[in-house]
């Protein structure tokens, strides 16, 4: 197994850092899956994490100048590592102004991702700062747990309102209730609702637009006949939604969500070279 | 949008409707008295009075006159109810504390009467939020029986001078002592904390002193924990009047200008902790 990669462009480095920062705000531990074309940060839904799952996909070539991978075997040319994204985040912080950053898989007393940042200095010699981030190699037999999530058979897909507004509202609602209902319809309307003994609050967003999934094979014909005013809803733990909204470091070019009525809230943020999906299960 | 599409029958059933183009003109002043969860609302033709009390020794009132509101309709002589003030403030600021000029939250507050929730319609940038907050039977606010005929001493100060003093007050002191006298030290704030005693003197001819009417020397102590919340009102205000009566009760009245420069009042009443006999 071998992995070596290098970033030389400061813009790519900053972008990569922001992505890692976002992931580190969402989870303490996740799986880093490396393939020839992509990097993935994966969190698979488990009871311990409250059932949320995350799939963050980066197109390698848009970040790295050099990228060499030799996976576990010829027919499985991939590497799966369990990492603590916060460690990577902290290491990248010291590499902010680096001329280049090299990442490679090494073996110290345990397997590590070693990050070496070449920092500018006043003398002709560069200063190199190295971080060894311990990782766990995930054996092939467990790879199935971290496979790409299937697009759920959603009832409604809708573009999200401006994140700043959504975040303000969710922040306040969190003071008032532990649970939040997200409902939306195919007429571009979305409501965020909380209800407790003391208070009920509903925020109405309209004219949001619905993504045209029609051409995508995942749309079943019955959905195209769905009554446009009919709302699909999920009730979720408000802290999970707040955590996701707070962690975002970059404004996505597209932000949308898919709702499986009573089951899942599926959030999708798309940037030019990164996509982030977050699945929040419904609570009863 | 609910604000404009409310049916006539909806509007008819409300006994109180109060609207503001800028919800901050209500939320800011309510923050100045938000030291307890519950607030008593009393609305009359003159406007809104909101009362918060603490352990029967402290009372804060915020007055928002009817003409501050862009719309103020009341169908009874007096409308009273009690709500959770913390919840109300979270609702009034649901769109966050945006200080972008020109962007503000519009508010319409409606009440159907006894047993009904307080309904708020808030709008910012085309997004509407509807809140229904449960109400309770209003408690009777304490009457501190503080009337101007019993006032022994009165000063009116520009808030800036007091703001500095209050921000530096030794919080390890259990009491704040206020001395008012026709002669030196005129107006003095004193604390007795772990690091020693501290005095802040305001001479009667100071620039900051707008009015000085002291008839006899009085020294009273008030629990610091009770007065601490009043610093929020002080921070918002431009002028403050400090009055004590023959029993040593304290009245602090704050003149507050809202975002649009309109005037509202906040007052705090506080019982003395113990009376100090003057020599």
């Amino acid at each position: 197994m071998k992995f070596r990669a290098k970033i030389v462009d400061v813009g790519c480095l900053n972008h990569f850092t922001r992505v890692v920062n976002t992931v580190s705000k969402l989870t303490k531990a996740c799986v880093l899956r490396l393939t020839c074309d992509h990097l993935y940060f994966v969190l698979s839904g488990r009871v311990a994490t409250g059932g949320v799952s995350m799939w963050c996909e980066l197109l390698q070539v848009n970040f790295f100048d050099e990228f060499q991978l030799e996976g576990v075997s010829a027919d499985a040319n991939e590497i799966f590592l369990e990492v603590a994204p916060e460690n990577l985040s902290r290491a990248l912080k010291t590499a902010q102004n680096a001329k280049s950053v090299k990442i490679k898989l090494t073996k110290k007393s345990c397997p590590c991702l070693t990050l070496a940042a070449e920092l500018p200095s006043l003398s002709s010699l560069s200063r190199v700062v190295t971080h060894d981030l311990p990782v766990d190699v995930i054996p092939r037999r467990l790879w199935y747990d971290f496979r790409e999530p299937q697009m759920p058979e959603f009832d409604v897909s809708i573009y999200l309102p401006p994140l700043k507004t959504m975040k303000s509202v969710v922040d306040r609602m969190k003071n008032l209730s532990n649970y939040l209902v997200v409902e939306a319809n195919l007429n571009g309307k979305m409501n965020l609702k909380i209800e407790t003994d003391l208070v009920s609050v509903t925020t109405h967003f309209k004219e949001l637009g619905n993504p045209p999934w029609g051409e995508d094979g995942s749309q079943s014909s019955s959905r195209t006949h769905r009554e446009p005013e009919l709302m699909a809803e999920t009730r979720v733990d408000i802290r999970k939604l707040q955590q996701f909204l707070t962690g975002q470091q970059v404004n996505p070019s597209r932000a949308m969500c898919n709702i499986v009525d009573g089951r899942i809230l599926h959030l999708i943020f798309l940037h030019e070279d990164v996509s982030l999906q977050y699945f929040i299960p419904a609570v009863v | 949008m609910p604000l404009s599409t409310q049916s006539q029958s909806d509007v008819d059933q409300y006994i109180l409707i109060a609207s503001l183009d800028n919800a901050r003109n209500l939320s800011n002043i309510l923050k100045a008295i938000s030291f307890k969860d519950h607030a008593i609302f009393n609305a009359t033709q003159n406007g809104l009075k909101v009362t918060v009390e603490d352990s029967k020794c402290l009372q804060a009132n915020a007055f928002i006159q009817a003409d501050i509101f862009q719309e103020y309709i009341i169908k009874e002589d007096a409308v009273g109810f009690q709500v959770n003030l913390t919840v109300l403030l979270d609702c009034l600021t649901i769109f966050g504390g945006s200080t972008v000029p020109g962007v503000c939250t519009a508010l319409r507050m409606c009440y159907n009467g006894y047993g009904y929730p307080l309904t708020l319609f808030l709008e910012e940038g085309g997004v509407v939020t509807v809140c229904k907050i449960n109400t309770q039977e209003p408690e009777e606010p304490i009457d501190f029986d503080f009337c101007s005929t019993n006032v022994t001493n009165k000063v009116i100060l520009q808030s800036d001078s007091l703001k500095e003093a209050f921000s530096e007050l030794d919080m390890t002191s259990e009491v704040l002592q206020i001395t008012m006298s026709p002669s030196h030290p005129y107006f003095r704030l004193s604390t007795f904390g772990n690091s020693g005693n501290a005095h802040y003197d305001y001479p009667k001819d100071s620039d900051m002193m707008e009015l000085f009417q002291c008839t006899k020397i009085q020294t009273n102590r008030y629990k610091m924990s009770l007065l601490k919340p009043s610093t929020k009102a002080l921070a918002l205000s431009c002028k403050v009047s400090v009055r004590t009566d023959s029993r040593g009760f304290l009245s602090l009245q704050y003149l507050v200008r809202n975002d649009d420069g309109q005037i509202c009042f906040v007052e705090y009443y506080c019982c003395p902790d113990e009376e100090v006999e003057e020599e």
Side-chain angles (χ1 to χ4, degrees):
Chain A
M1 261 194 313
K2 246 170 60 167
F3 170 63
R4 309 166 70 94
K6 184 170 167 185
I7 302 178
V8 297
D9 179 84
V10 70
C12 294
L13 178 60
N14 287 342
H15 194 182
F16 186 65
T17 305
R18 281 197 296 269
V19 174
V20 173
N21 288 347
T22 299
V23 171
S24 70
K25 292 222 169 30
L26 291 175
T27 179
K28 293 243 174 314
C30 68
V31 167
L32 173 60
R33 175 183 169 192
L34 303 164
T35 70
C36 292
D37 300 318
H38 292 94
L39 285 92
Y40 305 89
F41 290 96
V42 185
L43 179 67
S44 92
R46 272 188 206 124
V47 176
T49 56
V52 298
S53 337
M54 174 194 69
W55 179 267
C56 180
E57 186 173 314
L58 290 84
L59 192 59
Q60 161 272 110
V61 75
N62 285 3
F63 293 88
F64 297 93
D65 229 56
E66 288 168 25
F67 197 88
Q68 292 163 8
L69 181 90
E70 255 175 54
V72 289
S73 66
D75 63 325
N77 198 20
E78 303 187 9
I79 300 177
F80 282 59
L81 303 169
E82 174 143 2
V83 300
E86 202 189 322
N87 290 346
L88 186 53
S89 203
R90 250 187 270 128
L92 285 168
K93 193 162 179 209
T94 64
Q96 253 176 9
N97 298 316
K99 293 200 280 191
S100 74
V101 172
K102 289 189 194 153
I103 307 178
K104 60 183 186 184
L105 189 59
T106 59
K107 185 128 196 227
K108 306 278 156 113
S109 51
C110 66
C112 284
L113 267 185
T114 296
L115 192 130
E118 196 187 337
L119 299 175
S121 80
L122 290 172
S123 72
S124 56
L125 296 165
S126 293
R127 213 160 40 97
V128 178
V129 174
T130 308
H131 296 260
D132 291 319
L133 315 169
V135 297
D136 271 321
V137 178
I138 296 181
R140 184 145 170 215
R141 65 175 192 282
L142 296 176
W143 286 9
Y144 184 70
D145 285 346
F146 307 105
R147 66 197 179 283
E148 178 156 6
Q150 272 192 311
M151 181 72 70
E153 292 259 325
F154 52 82
D155 296 300
V156 168
S157 183
I158 189 166
Y159 289 116
L160 291 179
L163 285 190
K164 187 165 175 292
T165 309
M166 195 171 170
K167 187 177 167 318
S168 297
V169 170
V170 172
D171 278 350
R172 286 290 182 274
M173 285 180 167
K174 180 168 159 292
N175 291 343
L176 301 169
S177 169
N178 288 331
Y179 301 104
L180 167 76
V181 169
V182 179
E183 65 174 22
N185 67 20
L186 289 173
N187 264 348
K189 290 198 188 131
M190 173 187 276
N191 298 329
L192 300 177
K193 308 196 293 197
I194 57 132
E195 186 162 344
T196 68
D197 288 340
L198 282 179
V199 63
S200 73
V201 181
T202 304
T203 297
H204 303 266
F205 297 96
K206 51 191 175 83
E207 290 165 22
L208 294 174
N210 303 87
W213 291 105
E215 305 87 60
D216 191 333
S218 63
Q219 268 267 22
S220 73
S221 57
S222 62
R223 198 167 301 111
T224 56
H225 299 312
R226 184 188 169 88
E227 171 63 49
E229 277 296 312
L230 187 62
M231 291 283 181
E233 64 166 59
T234 46
R235 186 160 175 263
V236 297
D237 181 333
I238 205 172
R239 287 163 299 183
K240 304 256 166 6
L241 179 58
Q242 195 210 27
Q243 196 181 13
F244 180 71
L245 294 174
T246 308
Q248 298 311 309
Q249 299 235 317
V250 196
N251 262 335
S253 46
R254 280 256 192 260
M256 62 195 96
C257 77
N258 297 334
I259 300 175
V260 180
D261 193 78
R263 305 281 302 281
I264 305 173
L265 180 65
H266 175 206
L267 298 147
I268 309 175
F269 281 20
L270 299 175
H271 306 254
E272 206 182 278
D273 20 47
V274 182
S275 74
L276 176 62
Q277 296 182 56
Y278 202 62
F279 298 80
I280 306 178
V283 293
V284 198
Chain B
M1 190 157 83
L3 274 172
S4 56
T5 57
Q6 267 186 301
S7 67
Q8 190 54 44
S9 64
D10 285 341
V11 173
D12 282 346
Q13 61 181 262
Y14 293 129
I15 61 168
L16 173 68
I17 303 179
S19 301
L20 285 170
D21 287 343
N22 181 359
R24 275 201 299 271
N25 287 344
L26 180 60
S27 61
N28 279 350
I29 201 165
L30 291 182
K31 281 182 196 167
I33 61 167
S34 64
F35 51 88
K36 282 282 174 192
D37 271 347
H38 287 94
I40 306 162
F41 274 69
N42 189 25
T44 63
Q45 303 289 347
N46 296 331
L48 208 55
K49 175 182 168 191
V50 185
T51 304
V52 179
E53 289 175 345
D54 186 1
S55 54
K56 307 220 177 295
C57 301
L58 181 78
Q59 181 184 90
N61 295 301
F63 297 90
I64 306 116
Q65 292 95 289
D67 56 13
I68 305 276
F69 295 91
Q70 273 68 58
E71 178 189 34
Y72 189 84
I73 298 169
I74 182 166
K75 294 185 186 161
E76 288 176 15
D77 287 340
V79 173
F81 53 85
Q82 191 167 296
V83 281
N84 185 314
L85 186 54
T86 313
V87 168
L88 174 60
L89 281 170
D90 275 327
C91 291
L92 288 173
T93 56
I94 194 85
F95 292 111
S98 165
T99 45
V100 176
V103 176
C104 51
T105 305
L107 164 73
R108 185 179 231 206
M109 192 163 70
C110 308
Y111 183 59
N112 301 55
Y114 183 74
Y116 287 90
L118 179 66
T119 304
L120 306 176
F121 299 94
L122 297 128
E123 184 265 325
E124 185 177 296
V127 180
V128 176
T129 297
V130 184
C131 309
K132 290 192 199 297
I133 309 173
N134 284 348
T135 57
Q136 294 100 43
E137 181 124 19
E139 282 169 16
E140 193 62 43
I142 302 168
D143 181 2
F144 278 68
D145 200 25
F146 196 102
C147 66
S148 24
T149 47
N150 282 343
V151 171
T152 329
N153 292 320
K154 173 176 179 175
V155 301
I156 298 183
L157 284 158
Q158 284 183 19
S159 301
D160 281 340
S161 56
L162 270 189
K163 282 177 198 172
E164 233 183 280
F166 269 76
S167 69
E168 291 170 3
L169 281 181
D170 182 357
M171 288 302 163
T172 63
S173 171
E174 275 193 30
V175 297
L176 176 66
Q177 178 171 288
I178 301 181
T179 303
M180 292 167 85
S181 160
S183 54
H184 181 77
Y186 303 110
F187 182 70
R188 170 179 281 181
L189 302 173
S190 309
T191 55
F192 314 94
N194 295 341
S195 16
N197 302 344
H199 304 288
Y200 293 86
D201 286 356
Y202 295 85
K204 80 172 196 188
D205 51 8
S206 150
D207 280 346
M208 296 293 192
M209 192 71 74
E210 289 206 2
L211 182 94
F212 188 88
Q213 279 171 6
C214 291
T215 59
K216 64 179 239 201
I217 181 163
Q218 256 194 322
T219 300
N220 290 296
R221 294 183 173 198
Y222 307 92
K223 277 203 164 49
M224 189 69 91
S225 56
L226 286 178
L227 285 185
K228 185 135 194 330
S230 70
T231 50
K232 280 197 225 170
L234 181 61
L236 278 185
S237 68
C238 45
K239 270 191 228 190
V240 53
S241 105
V242 183
R243 300 178 299 164
T244 49
D245 70 3
S246 47
R247 305 163 299 169
F249 277 53
L250 176 69
S251 150
L252 298 165
Q253 290 177 316
Y254 302 91
L255 192 152
V256 174
R257 277 193 198 277
N258 67 18
D259 280 1
D260 299 309
Q262 299 162 304
I263 290 174
C264 297
F265 290 95
V266 174
E267 70 187 1
Y268 271 74
Y269 289 114
C270 192
C271 301
D273 196 37
E274 60 182 72
E275 222 171 273
V276 176
E277 291 298 320
E278 69 269 18
E279 278 100 80

